[in-house]
Each structure stands twice: as structure tokens, then as C-alpha cells.
Amino acid sequence: MLFKLDNIHHTWPRRGAILNGAGFQLNTGDRLAITGHNGAGKSTLLKVMLGLIIPDQGTVEAFGGLRTCEADFHDVRRRAGLVFQDPDDQLFCPTVADDIAFGPLNLGKSRDEALVIVDRLLSDLDLMYLRDAITHRLSGGEKRLVTLACVLAMDPEVLILDEPTNALDEENEARLTEILQTLPQSIVLVSHDKYFRSKIANRSLRLKEGQLHEEAVAN
């Protein structure tokens, strides 16, 4: 068991209750899609998984342990990587290589070790042509692929993807799909793109009225 969320409740000021007893379990090999209308609480649920939001009620277990305070989630965020909905929230270094190296450097890798990881990932993802590119000059699709590389550089056990196809053109969406299909990690995916979900997910849950319900995977 990688994650288990049980009876999660959360209320936002002025919006009222957004999660009302939500719960699910993620096991090794799961590629879980979470669906629901805009504002249903999908992104909130992802942040609860990583301790970025502490719910009003309920429990979060991750990687075999109960997580109740900020310190408990440090290890969780190392082992589960979130690809943000907006790549500009995740990219802040001058070049692509610097952005990808940032995570490994924070884990204690030397500069040379981090650059080996950068080059390996960019080669594996067929993105070496972006290695020295200025990050803020990338296209939206290129930024999306680079944010994925930044998360993979941390060697996570779980990938958490929040609307990863937003603003992607057809070519970059196909490239992202191809990359995700080859990765070994378990995945939690929030996406409105039914076709994309059908290519990635093997399970699907719909968030409705604050609770999660099993549904068929789109095909």
C-alpha cells in the first residue's frame, strides 16, 4: 500500500465543504484517474496526499506510516512527486539543466552527480536539445515536459499529475502520453481529457459531493 486516505473532510472559507468523507487506496502498479467537475476538490485532494493541505478531519497513510504533521510529510514529498497544473509554478531556475538538477542537489548529490542525472533523463525523454535552454522562453508544451523531468529527477515511487495536458498541443500531448506509458511509477492522475485518461489509467474514481466513487475507465 502506497497511500491510504480515509474519511477526508475539508472546508474552504466562502466555498463551504469541498471534501466530505473522501477516501481511497493506492497500491503498487495502480494508475489511478480522479475525475469530477471543476471545483469538485480534485486538486485539494492531491495536496492532502502530500501534506500541503491538512484536512479538517480524516487520516493520511503513506508508504506504510500514518502522517499527521508537517515533519511526517517530508519523506512523502521525496517519494511522491507532484507535477503542478501550471508549469510556471514549478520552474524557477535560469536554464532547463539547472531546474532538473535542483531536486537532486537538495537531496545531497554533488553538482557532477546531479548533472549525470540531468543528462540521463533528458536523453531518456528525448529532450537533450533543451538542456541549456532558457526556461522562461520554452513553449507551454516544452515547460510541461521539463516539469515532468524535474519530478523524475527525484526518483519518486509515485507520480501525481494535476491536469498535465492543459495547454498542450497534439504533438506534445502524444509525447507526454508516450513517456508516461513507459514509466514504472504508480500514478495518480487528475485530468478532464477522457482520451488521455484512457491511455494512462487502469482505475478511475469520480469525486462527487465530496466523496469518491468507483467508475469505469474511459476508453
Side-chain angles (χ1 to χ4, degrees):
M1 186 268 291
L2 298 171
F3 278 90
K4 183 179 179 182
L5 275 65
D6 185 55
N7 195 34
I8 300 295
H9 292 252
H10 192 69
T11 298
W12 286 116
R14 297 187 298 277
R15 288 180 60 188
I18 191 166
L19 298 176
N20 187 29
F24 72 93
Q25 184 166 313
L26 183 77
N27 298 312
T28 301
D30 281 349
R31 293 186 159 218
L32 172 64
I34 297 177
T35 68
H37 63 74
N38 287 336
K42 302 183 297 297
S43 294
T44 298
L45 191 68
L46 299 186
K47 291 175 181 177
V48 168
M49 291 177 67
L50 297 175
L52 300 174
I53 291 174
I54 301 301
D56 303 327
Q57 182 180 332
T59 59
V60 178
E61 294 180 57
F63 306 108
L66 185 65
R67 312 291 174 156
T68 60
C69 64
E70 171 63 23
D72 292 340
F73 282 96
H74 294 170
D75 178 60
V76 175
R77 294 173 199 150
R78 183 184 63 79
R79 299 171 69 178
L82 172 63
V83 179
F84 288 35
Q85 189 171 149
D86 184 350
D88 289 325
D89 290 339
Q90 204 153 3
L91 301 174
F92 49 85
C93 294
T95 70
V96 167
D98 290 332
D99 260 313
I100 298 172
F102 182 84
L105 289 171
N106 273 358
L107 292 178
K109 302 289 187 184
S110 70
R111 181 71 180 174
D112 286 345
E113 289 171 330
L115 289 177
V116 168
I117 293 171
V118 169
D119 290 343
R120 174 179 56 79
L121 269 174
L122 289 175
S123 178
D124 288 348
L125 301 179
D126 197 22
L127 297 174
M128 187 61 79
Y129 69 99
L130 294 176
R131 187 186 191 280
D132 299 312
I134 305 301
T135 304
H136 75 264
R137 294 180 181 172
L138 300 178
S139 70
E142 289 169 340
K143 287 180 180 180
R144 175 66 66 193
L145 295 174
V146 170
T147 57
L148 176 61
C150 291
V151 170
L152 291 176
M154 304 285 284
D155 195 24
E157 297 169 50
V158 177
L159 280 176
I160 301 174
L161 309 171
D162 192 359
E163 295 292 356
T165 59
N166 269 6
L168 286 191
D169 59 28
E170 187 174 315
E171 181 178 352
N172 277 311
E173 180 171 333
R175 182 71 185 118
L176 177 64
T177 301
E178 179 185 4
I179 291 169
L180 292 176
Q181 287 174 331
T182 66
L183 294 178
Q185 285 88 353
S186 298
I187 290 175
V188 178
L189 164 69
V190 165
S191 175
H192 287 292
D193 187 333
K194 182 184 295 188
Y195 178 77
F196 179 73
R197 295 197 309 265
S198 74
K199 297 295 184 181
I200 304 300
N202 58 20
R203 289 181 58 205
S204 187
L205 295 172
R206 185 166 187 83
L207 185 57
K208 183 178 181 182
E209 297 179 353
Q211 298 186 354
L212 288 161
H213 306 273
E214 293 278 353
E215 67 176 0
V217 177
N219 53 44

